[in-house]
Amino acid sequence: MPRAAFKVLIRAILPLFLAAAAAACVKVDEDKAPFTGGTAATIQQNAGAGIAIEETADEYDPHRRSALAGGGNNAVVGAGEAAGETGELPPDPPALFLGPEQMTQNLKRAFNYSQGWTDDAGAFHDSILDNYRTLLGGVDFESVSVRDRSPKVNTLLVVRNLAYEIANGIVSRAAYEDTPDTSVFSKCDVRTDRPYDEADDLEDESYRAKRMAAERRWRAQLEDIYWRAYARAPSRAEVAAVRSAFSKYGRDWPPEGWVLTLYAILSTAEFWNL
Amino acid sequence: MKIDRRRLVGNLARSATGIACLTQLPALFSARPAVAEAGAPARRFIQFFLSGGWDSMLATDPPVGVRATNGNFQADYQSLEVKTVPGKANLIVGNGLVPALNAFSTMSTAFVNSLYVEVPAHDLAGNHILSGKLSLSRSREYPSFIALMGQASGAFPPHLDLGGSIPLGDTRAASPPLAAGDMDSLISMLKGPHYDDAERAWRVDEANELIATLDNLRYADLGERGKKRLDVWTSSGKALADVYAGRYADAFDRSDETKARYGFANGWDVGGLVATAFFALKSGLTSYSSVVIGGFDTHMNHLQDHVPRMRVFAAALNALVADLRATPDPADGAKSLADTTTILITSEFTRTPLFNSTRGTDHWTSASAVVMGAGVKDNAVIGKTANDGDARGWVNGAPVALTDETRLMPDHLAASIAAAFGFSDVATRLGGVTIDGLFL
């Protein structure tokens, strides 16, 4: 073979050879590898290879099994279900339901809200965690050791009740306490400010001006709550939806409208999912 | 537990070689659907767990005959009334359960005694009884078998926990239950948040409408891919609306008449929890309820504290059975709920036969259970403790010396119930060894 041709051949082959060798030497850092879940296929593979098997929940995975059976109220099949059979990451993994620990932190930071008590040693006992931890898919390392991030119907039942408790708590401390806590309701008077409506048009000009000012404060407050809950401003359509409900149920006594508004905002998919 | 020579030899061989665990493998790899296993009958299950360790001598295993006076049992038991269930000569009931005689006589009833308790510590023994699997370390918890059965039924909610939590292990396997500490909390949850005492009250449906509107507006921004990522949330939300619309809470009766029959003042006391379990079944909310009733860990003043509490429970049990018998099964009007409901009453262990220095009793290494209702072999007594109250083995319907192979275990009781309900996957997961003669 002519020397020049040999050089060309080496130049062509060598990079391929080096790349193959490098690939063979790469050690996969399992901690950093993407989690693909323990599918039945991989468990079978491990069993065949004599690898110690930790019992997994997959055999009882309600989603997969419900999907196979095709029914039941718990038959909530996420985007990743089909991919779960192949062991590949789904293109659109299901949204992650926030854990109860994350939720209590969010509530504290966004709404200065917590439930619980402080013991003599100064330790805070979080009632949301104590009462709802496992029901919200969390772990307590006593009765539950593996997190369930798929909200079931009963999870949502708890979410709704919790959202109402929180909404009621936040509004009550601003509307009913002798020394109101206005850390959330800082943009409006929670007891008087409400949306301007058609009935206000029938009043005199000074009243209308007062109501318009109250409307502006109400909107500023709603926007502030949206930023706290969702880190974004509300859309026009969202403001309209809230205004409509608020006018119906909070016109005479705005705190009632705020409980409904906060309850709805704290119950949405956007608030509870990543 | 029925063991023939072939099984005995097989068990010995497996345990000696460590192959026993391999019998679990088919269950581990099973991909069969959990929902409505083929042939699974439509049945209901209520489990009462009397937390703290109930006294079997006041329940299913009173010291009678030789044992009444052999000195191994506290003499105080001799002065307590013991009754035979009318028409069921094998069922001898200790003083604590005497108020439930009517329930036992009108419903198929079996007693299980001499369940072996490896470690008589509350958490470990309780988890063993409730899950049917023993975990000697707290690093690993197994789900309660009622949770697995509820999950396997495919119903919502998979199971209802009243009064206190039960081990769930991995909630991906057992699913978080619907849980409530008392009747009022459960009703409140089922009704959904609402203002019903204000002039311009908003109701749960109107609040749902606003939530749905906000969700839909957001989904529109997210596009199809974003919406798909929230599939689980969305479908659960739709089912939630059905729950609110189902008006399950309306079935819960807190009238004075009900309170009198069940003997409760509040939804969280013993009678209140028993009544809550009944109404949960009657409403169609769930077919699987677990009720945890505490207060049985009487290390002091045993008889003064333990007996009344057990009798209150027994009286409430009478009301429960009467209500089950009087309520038609919605799936089959010719039957009552009593025909399709199985009841388990158990505790983590029993108590020492002799009193301690404070006239209390401590933990003892055996446990007992009452199994009643649908499918139960009537008038059966499984297991027999020794004349000193110790657990004994049980083979082919007769007591034998206690060995690793002959002991009657919580595993066997749990597997028997799961198998009787047709949940073969769950029974297999629990070891697959069932108690012969407990169910028809």
Side-chain angles (χ1 to χ4, degrees):
Chain A
M1 180 185 290
R3 190 180 180 86
F6 180 74
K7 275 184 177 176
V8 169
L9 190 63
I10 286 295
R11 280 176 187 160
I13 291 175
L14 190 60
L16 293 174
F17 175 76
L18 290 175
C25 293
V26 167
K27 181 180 181 304
V28 176
D29 185 345
E30 289 181 356
D31 288 339
K32 292 174 184 171
F35 174 71
T36 56
T39 64
T42 57
I43 295 166
Q44 290 277 23
Q45 222 170 26
N46 290 343
I51 295 169
I53 301 162
E54 177 69 13
E55 186 176 353
T56 81
D58 279 11
E59 57 168 317
Y60 282 101
D61 186 298
H63 292 177
R64 191 163 61 110
R65 292 164 67 92
S66 294
L68 289 169
N73 276 340
N74 284 325
V76 279
V77 185
E81 295 304 328
E85 299 297 328
T86 63
E88 294 172 4
L89 269 179
D92 293 314
L96 286 179
F97 179 64
L98 286 176
E101 300 85 357
Q102 294 162 306
M103 186 48 66
T104 59
Q105 291 298 319
N106 286 359
L107 289 168
K108 179 71 184 162
R109 289 172 187 149
F111 292 101
N112 187 29
Y113 180 87
S114 56
Q115 282 183 14
W117 57 284
T118 305
D119 64 21
D120 292 342
F124 181 71
H125 297 258
D126 191 317
S127 297
I128 293 176
L129 295 182
D130 290 349
N131 296 336
Y132 301 113
R133 191 195 305 263
T134 57
L135 304 182
L136 288 171
V139 296
D140 60 8
F141 300 105
E142 286 185 6
S143 63
V144 172
S145 55
V146 180
R147 184 177 298 282
D148 181 4
R149 301 198 84 148
S150 301
K152 311 291 191 302
V153 189
N154 41 344
T155 322
L156 262 66
L157 259 179
V158 175
V159 162
R160 293 292 177 89
N161 277 269
L162 188 54
Y164 178 74
E165 272 184 38
I166 296 164
N168 212 16
I170 292 171
V171 174
S172 293
R173 72 188 187 193
Y176 301 108
E177 297 293 327
D178 292 338
T179 310
D181 176 349
T182 55
S183 55
V184 171
F185 286 96
S186 58
K187 309 288 184 190
C188 77
D189 184 332
V190 70
R191 285 186 278 207
T192 59
D193 293 346
R194 59 165 175 78
Y196 188 92
D197 60 26
E198 288 174 355
D200 293 327
D201 276 338
L202 305 175
E203 303 293 338
D204 62 45
E205 191 174 340
S206 69
Y207 182 83
R208 291 204 307 272
K210 251 173 64 179
R211 294 299 350 158
M212 292 290 268
E215 150 93 17
R216 282 193 291 276
R217 290 194 297 272
W218 177 85
R219 285 196 60 160
Q221 186 62 65
L222 180 64
E223 185 166 333
D224 181 70
I225 288 174
Y226 256 75
W227 278 103
R228 289 170 186 267
Y230 305 141
R232 65 175 177 84
S235 68
R236 282 174 187 275
E238 286 167 329
V239 172
V242 173
R243 173 197 293 279
S244 170
F246 202 107
S247 295
K248 197 170 173 187
Y249 300 106
R251 189 180 196 280
D252 293 344
W253 180 234
E256 193 174 320
W258 279 117
V259 172
L260 173 62
T261 303
L262 258 179
Y263 164 56
I265 287 172
L266 299 180
S267 296
T268 58
E270 188 175 359
F271 188 67
W272 285 87
N273 291 276
L274 279 178
Chain B
M1 177 170 55
K2 183 165 186 170
I3 297 180
D4 55 26
R5 179 187 289 185
R6 187 174 172 182
R7 180 182 283 186
L8 181 64
V9 172
N11 285 350
L12 284 170
R14 280 200 297 274
S15 60
T17 57
I19 297 174
C21 61
L22 292 180
T23 59
Q24 307 295 321
L25 293 183
L28 287 181
F29 297 143
S30 169
R32 286 171 56 196
V35 178
E37 286 186 34
R43 282 168 60 167
R44 300 167 179 82
F45 182 57
I46 305 178
Q47 167 185 278
F48 293 105
F49 182 71
L50 306 190
S51 174
W54 78 343
D55 185 348
S56 299
M57 290 157 282
L58 295 169
T60 60
D61 195 16
V64 293
V66 172
R67 303 206 302 176
T69 54
N70 68 2
N72 288 325
F73 294 84
Q74 190 72 23
D76 300 60
Y77 285 104
Q78 294 173 30
S79 62
L80 297 175
E81 182 185 39
V82 171
K83 290 273 193 181
T84 301
V85 176
K88 302 182 182 181
N90 295 334
L91 303 183
I92 300 171
V93 175
N95 190 265
L97 288 186
V98 164
L101 279 182
N102 199 44
F104 298 144
S105 67
T106 55
M107 204 176 206
S108 295
T109 301
F111 290 170
V112 181
N113 288 318
S114 194
L115 286 166
Y116 180 72
V117 175
E118 186 135 354
V119 184
H122 291 291
D123 287 351
L124 293 177
N127 286 359
H128 193 185
I129 287 277
L130 290 167
S131 69
K133 295 190 92 165
L134 178 62
S135 170
L136 288 176
S137 80
R138 298 308 307 272
S139 63
R140 182 74 188 276
E141 299 293 348
Y142 295 101
S144 301
F145 67 89
I146 188 175
L148 295 177
M149 285 167 46
Q151 183 66 45
S153 75
F156 166 79
H159 58 118
L160 173 66
D161 288 356
L162 296 168
S165 62
I166 57 175
L168 299 170
D170 176 348
T171 42
R172 290 180 306 172
S175 192
L178 183 57
D182 56 57
M183 189 189 288
D184 290 347
S185 309
L186 183 62
I187 291 172
S188 166
M189 198 175 287
L190 293 172
K191 273 187 171 174
H194 59 287
Y195 259 31
D196 58 5
D197 52 358
E199 199 175 321
R200 292 173 63 88
W202 52 266
R203 290 177 292 115
V204 63
D205 303 339
E206 288 141 355
N208 273 344
E209 196 178 314
L210 178 57
I211 295 166
T213 303
L214 296 182
D215 270 340
N216 289 334
L217 288 169
R218 187 61 183 154
Y219 290 172
D221 286 346
L222 292 175
E224 285 307 311
R225 289 182 66 178
K227 271 194 280 190
K228 197 163 179 54
R229 293 187 69 230
L230 285 164
D231 267 353
V232 177
W233 179 277
T234 309
S235 53
S236 294
K238 285 175 182 162
L240 178 68
D242 292 340
V243 172
Y244 287 146
R247 304 285 186 246
Y248 294 105
D250 295 346
F252 288 76
D253 178 2
R254 286 174 287 183
S255 67
D256 289 344
E257 189 270 334
T258 300
K259 287 181 177 177
R261 279 192 307 109
Y262 280 87
F264 74 94
N266 301 292
W268 46 263
D269 59 25
V270 175
L273 290 171
V274 176
T276 305
F278 167 70
F279 291 122
L281 243 65
K282 182 186 178 187
S283 70
L285 170 69
T286 181
S287 296
Y288 299 86
S289 289
S290 167
V291 185
V292 176
I293 297 172
F296 291 90
D297 194 22
T298 46
H299 288 280
M300 297 168 64
N301 301 321
H302 177 60
L303 292 183
Q304 290 91 326
D305 294 342
H306 204 102
V307 174
R309 194 155 183 79
M310 198 186 280
R311 290 178 71 95
V312 166
F313 168 72
L317 185 66
N318 255 355
L320 169 68
V321 170
D323 276 353
L324 289 173
R325 288 169 57 80
T327 308
D329 184 336
D332 181 354
K335 292 181 177 176
S336 72
L337 287 182
D339 296 321
T340 52
T341 301
T342 304
I343 299 170
L344 170 68
I345 305 161
T346 190
S347 186
E348 57 261 57
F349 40 66
T350 183
R351 310 198 70 81
T352 47
L354 294 169
F355 289 177
N356 60 27
S357 59
T358 55
R359 295 191 58 75
T361 52
D362 303 318
H363 307 172
W364 194 244
T365 54
S366 74
S368 55
V370 176
V371 190
M372 306 169 66
V376 174
K377 189 170 181 185
D378 199 17
N379 196 24
V381 178
I382 307 291
K384 185 174 172 63
T385 51
N387 281 342
D388 58 1
D390 273 343
R392 300 182 73 190
W394 185 258
V395 175
N396 293 340
V400 296
L402 184 74
T403 70
D404 287 354
E405 290 301 323
T406 64
R407 59 193 185 184
L408 201 55
M409 300 286 285
D411 319 35
H412 307 148
L413 177 62
S416 301
I417 294 170
F421 272 69
F423 297 121
S424 53
D425 272 9
V426 177
T428 304
R429 183 184 168 108
L430 296 169
V433 178
T434 58
I435 299 172
D436 194 40
L438 181 58
F439 285 94
L440 296 171

